Amino acid sequence: MIELLVLDVDGTLTNGQITFSSNGIESKSFDVSDGLAISVWTRHLGKKVAIITGRNSVIVEQRAKELNIKHLYQGVKNKLEVLENILKEENLNLSQVAAIGDDLNDYKMLKAVELSFTPQNGSHYIKDIVDVVCTKSGGDGAVREMIEHIVKKDNLESEFLAAWL
Protein backbone atom coordinates (compact mmCIF):
# COMPACT_ATOMS: atom_id res chain seq x y z
CA MET A 1 0.00 0.00 0.00
CA ILE A 2 1.26 3.46 -0.87
CA GLU A 3 2.01 5.59 2.21
CA LEU A 4 4.13 8.39 0.73
CA LEU A 5 3.70 10.52 -2.37
CA VAL A 6 6.74 12.29 -3.77
CA LEU A 7 6.01 15.29 -5.97
CA ASP A 8 8.21 17.24 -8.33
CA VAL A 9 7.13 20.87 -8.81
CA ASP A 10 7.99 22.49 -12.16
CA GLY A 11 6.19 20.58 -14.89
CA THR A 12 4.26 18.46 -12.39
CA LEU A 13 2.53 20.61 -9.77
CA THR A 14 2.88 23.50 -12.23
CA ASN A 15 2.89 23.70 -16.01
CA GLY A 16 6.63 24.26 -15.95
CA GLN A 17 6.48 27.93 -16.81
CA ILE A 18 8.27 30.38 -14.56
CA THR A 19 7.30 34.03 -14.94
CA PHE A 20 9.39 36.91 -13.65
CA SER A 21 8.03 40.42 -13.20
CA SER A 22 10.15 43.43 -14.15
CA ASN A 23 11.10 43.55 -10.45
CA GLY A 24 12.44 40.00 -10.63
CA ILE A 25 9.54 38.52 -8.66
CA GLU A 26 8.81 34.92 -9.63
CA SER A 27 5.30 33.55 -10.12
CA LYS A 28 3.90 30.07 -10.67
CA SER A 29 0.39 28.71 -10.96
CA PHE A 30 -0.87 25.62 -9.13
CA ASP A 31 -4.00 23.61 -9.92
CA VAL A 32 -6.53 23.77 -7.08
CA SER A 33 -7.76 20.22 -7.78
CA ASP A 34 -4.25 18.92 -7.07
CA GLY A 35 -4.29 20.77 -3.76
CA LEU A 36 -7.68 19.37 -2.78
CA ALA A 37 -6.56 15.81 -3.48
CA ILE A 38 -3.29 16.32 -1.58
CA SER A 39 -5.25 17.66 1.41
CA VAL A 40 -7.53 14.63 1.45
CA TRP A 41 -4.50 12.33 1.10
CA THR A 42 -2.85 13.82 4.18
CA ARG A 43 -5.68 15.04 6.37
CA HIS A 44 -8.36 12.41 5.77
CA LEU A 45 -6.35 9.35 4.76
CA GLY A 46 -3.45 10.07 7.12
CA LYS A 47 -0.82 9.57 4.43
CA LYS A 48 2.41 11.50 3.80
CA VAL A 49 3.61 13.80 1.02
CA ALA A 50 7.06 15.05 0.12
CA ILE A 51 8.03 17.71 -2.39
CA ILE A 52 11.49 17.22 -3.85
CA THR A 53 12.43 19.82 -6.44
CA GLY A 54 15.54 20.96 -8.23
CA ARG A 55 14.81 24.68 -7.92
CA ASN A 56 14.45 26.96 -4.92
CA SER A 57 11.31 29.06 -4.67
CA VAL A 58 9.55 30.95 -1.91
CA ILE A 59 6.29 30.24 -3.74
CA VAL A 60 6.81 26.48 -3.40
CA GLU A 61 7.54 26.91 0.30
CA GLN A 62 4.29 28.84 0.67
CA ARG A 63 2.30 26.18 -1.24
CA ALA A 64 3.81 23.34 0.81
CA LYS A 65 2.93 25.16 4.03
CA GLU A 66 -0.62 25.80 2.79
CA LEU A 67 -1.05 22.08 2.03
CA ASN A 68 0.57 21.01 5.33
CA ILE A 69 3.37 19.14 3.53
CA LYS A 70 5.99 18.25 6.11
CA HIS A 71 8.78 17.19 3.76
CA LEU A 72 9.93 20.00 1.47
CA TYR A 73 13.34 19.78 -0.17
CA GLN A 74 14.40 22.41 -2.70
CA GLY A 75 17.58 22.86 -4.73
CA VAL A 76 18.04 19.08 -4.87
CA LYS A 77 20.40 17.49 -7.37
CA ASN A 78 19.99 13.85 -6.28
CA LYS A 79 16.30 13.27 -5.59
CA LEU A 80 16.69 9.56 -4.86
CA GLU A 81 19.22 10.28 -2.11
CA VAL A 82 16.84 12.76 -0.46
CA LEU A 83 13.98 10.26 -0.77
CA GLU A 84 16.07 7.56 0.91
CA ASN A 85 16.66 9.91 3.85
CA ILE A 86 12.92 10.62 4.13
CA LEU A 87 12.23 6.88 4.13
CA LYS A 88 14.64 6.37 7.03
CA GLU A 89 13.02 9.21 8.98
CA GLU A 90 9.49 7.91 8.34
CA ASN A 91 10.40 4.22 8.73
CA LEU A 92 9.09 3.42 5.23
CA ASN A 93 10.54 1.64 2.20
CA LEU A 94 10.45 2.20 -1.54
CA SER A 95 7.59 -0.30 -1.95
CA GLN A 96 5.37 2.19 -0.08
CA VAL A 97 6.19 5.15 -2.35
CA ALA A 98 4.57 6.61 -5.44
CA ALA A 99 6.26 9.49 -7.23
CA ILE A 100 5.51 11.85 -10.08
CA GLY A 101 8.04 13.73 -12.16
CA ASP A 102 8.41 15.01 -15.67
CA ASP A 103 12.07 15.27 -16.59
CA LEU A 104 15.52 13.70 -16.46
CA ASN A 105 16.32 14.92 -12.95
CA ASP A 106 13.44 12.68 -11.76
CA TYR A 107 14.64 9.58 -13.66
CA LYS A 108 16.51 7.66 -10.91
CA MET A 109 13.86 8.38 -8.31
CA LEU A 110 11.03 7.29 -10.60
CA LYS A 111 12.84 4.05 -11.46
CA ALA A 112 13.30 3.23 -7.76
CA VAL A 113 9.77 3.69 -6.36
CA GLU A 114 6.92 1.20 -6.32
CA LEU A 115 4.61 3.24 -8.53
CA SER A 116 5.75 6.02 -10.86
CA PHE A 117 3.83 8.64 -12.82
CA THR A 118 4.51 11.42 -15.27
CA PRO A 119 2.19 14.12 -16.58
CA GLN A 120 1.04 13.92 -20.18
CA ASN A 121 3.59 16.59 -21.09
CA GLY A 122 6.50 14.78 -19.41
CA SER A 123 9.69 14.01 -21.29
CA HIS A 124 9.49 10.99 -23.59
CA TYR A 125 12.50 9.57 -21.70
CA ILE A 126 10.39 9.60 -18.55
CA LYS A 127 7.27 8.30 -20.29
CA ASP A 128 9.32 5.25 -21.33
CA ILE A 129 10.13 4.23 -17.73
CA VAL A 130 7.09 5.13 -15.61
CA ASP A 131 4.17 2.91 -14.71
CA VAL A 132 1.51 5.50 -15.58
CA VAL A 133 1.46 8.39 -18.03
CA CYS A 134 -1.31 10.69 -16.84
CA THR A 135 -3.91 12.02 -19.25
CA LYS A 136 -3.53 15.43 -17.59
CA SER A 137 -0.56 17.75 -18.00
CA GLY A 138 1.55 19.21 -15.21
CA GLY A 139 -0.24 22.08 -13.47
CA ASP A 140 -3.53 20.86 -14.92
CA GLY A 141 -4.58 18.10 -12.51
CA ALA A 142 -1.89 15.43 -13.10
CA VAL A 143 -1.24 15.09 -9.36
CA ARG A 144 -4.98 14.75 -8.70
CA GLU A 145 -5.12 12.05 -11.37
CA MET A 146 -2.18 10.28 -9.70
CA ILE A 147 -3.85 10.35 -6.28
CA GLU A 148 -7.17 9.09 -7.64
CA HIS A 149 -5.35 6.24 -9.41
CA ILE A 150 -3.63 5.22 -6.15
CA VAL A 151 -6.82 5.55 -4.10
CA LYS A 152 -8.59 3.14 -6.48
CA LYS A 153 -5.63 0.73 -6.61
CA ASP A 154 -5.32 0.63 -2.80
CA ASN A 155 -9.09 0.32 -2.23
CA LEU A 156 -9.34 3.67 -0.44
CA GLU A 157 -11.95 5.17 -2.72
CA SER A 158 -14.78 5.23 -0.15
CA GLU A 159 -12.53 6.97 2.40
CA PHE A 160 -11.35 9.44 -0.23
CA LEU A 161 -14.89 10.25 -1.30
CA ALA A 162 -16.09 10.50 2.30
CA ALA A 163 -14.04 13.67 2.64
CA TRP A 164 -16.30 15.31 0.05
CA LEU A 165 -19.67 13.70 0.74
Side-chain angles (χ1 to χ4, degrees), residues 98-117:
I100 186 168
D102 69 312
D103 218 331
L104 295 174
N105 60 338
D106 302 307
Y107 192 98
K108 285 193 280 185
M109 178 183 68
L110 292 171
K111 287 281 286 182
V113 300
E114 178 68 19
L115 190 55
S116 57
F117 296 78

Side-chain angles (χ1 to χ4, degrees), residues 58-74:
V58 174
I59 296 165
V60 173
E61 186 177 333
Q62 180 180 344
R63 184 66 170 155
K65 193 176 295 181
E66 179 180 71
L67 294 174
N68 200 30
I69 295 174
K70 174 182 168 186
H71 298 287
L72 171 62
Y73 298 88
Q74 299 193 76

Side-chain angles (χ1 to χ4, degrees), residues 83-97:
L83 173 56
E84 288 169 344
N85 289 332
I86 294 169
L87 294 177
K88 286 177 192 168
E89 180 182 335
E90 293 292 346
N91 197 29
L92 297 171
N93 59 60
L94 288 167
S95 69
Q96 296 171 291
V97 179

Side-chain angles (χ1 to χ4, degrees), residues 1 5 13 22 26-27 39 41 49 53-55 66 73 76 87-88 93 100 102 106 108 116-117 134 153 159:
M1 183 170 283
L5 301 181
L13 278 171
S22 61
E26 179 182 344
S27 70
S39 291
W41 180 263
V49 176
T53 181
R55 294 189 73 251
E66 179 180 71
Y73 298 88
V76 174
L87 294 177
K88 286 177 192 168
N93 59 60
I100 186 168
D102 69 312
D106 302 307
K108 285 193 280 185
S116 57
F117 296 78
C134 296
K153 179 187 103 29
E159 291 93 329

Side-chain angles (χ1 to χ4, degrees), residues 151-164:
V151 163
K152 286 179 185 176
K153 179 187 103 29
D154 286 353
N155 295 316
L156 297 170
E157 205 166 13
S158 61
E159 291 93 329
F160 183 78
L161 293 173
W164 311 110

Side-chain angles (χ1 to χ4, degrees), residues 30 37-38 40 44 52 68 76 79 82 121 125 127 134 142 153:
F30 297 92
I38 291 167
V40 173
H44 295 278
I52 305 175
N68 200 30
V76 174
K79 293 184 178 189
V82 170
N121 58 334
Y125 295 109
K127 287 180 179 179
C134 296
K153 179 187 103 29

Side-chain angles (χ1 to χ4, degrees), residues 13-33:
L13 278 171
T14 74
N15 65 6
Q17 295 180 356
I18 301 166
T19 305
F20 290 96
S21 72
S22 61
N23 296 335
I25 297 172
E26 179 182 344
S27 70
K28 299 175 188 258
S29 295
F30 297 92
D31 188 286
V32 73
S33 71

